[in-house]
Amino acid sequence: MTKDTSEPAFPTQESRYPDRPPATLGMTLRDYFAAKAMQGYLSDSTFSGTVEELSKASYQAADAMMEERNKNDR
């Protein structure tokens, strides 16, 4: 699986950064997916993992979403 860490979650063309391509601005789509997964885990009162486990699980969920998204883009 290819992890495109440069794909933006909220693409924008910002004139105040003329030397940077738009894909480098803001949060990546993978980070956005991980944040949403983390939000779900934190809302589950039965989740009792450490912060490290929470972070790892959130990025595993994000990677699964990215992988599925890439399958559907073919």
Side-chain angles (χ1 to χ4, degrees):
M1 174 183 70
T2 302
K3 295 179 185 171
D4 185 357
T5 59
S6 65
E7 186 176 2
F10 307 102
T12 181
Q13 193 79 25
E14 296 220 12
S15 60
R16 62 184 164 166
Y17 300 110
D19 58 326
R20 292 174 56 193
T24 64
L25 300 173
M27 175 185 284
T28 66
L29 186 57
R30 181 174 179 251
D31 289 335
Y32 179 75
F33 284 161
K36 289 296 191 178
M38 182 178 284
Q39 186 176 27
Y41 289 129
L42 289 172
S43 69
D44 180 359
S45 62
T46 64
F47 187 84
S48 61
T50 65
V51 174
E52 290 79 13
E53 292 167 334
L54 173 64
S55 298
K56 185 175 181 176
S58 297
Y59 273 102
Q60 286 174 337
D63 289 343
M65 286 188 275
M66 293 294 291
E67 188 173 325
E68 191 61 32
R69 183 176 186 271
N70 289 337
K71 285 181 192 175
N72 292 326
D73 283 349
R74 291 181 197 157

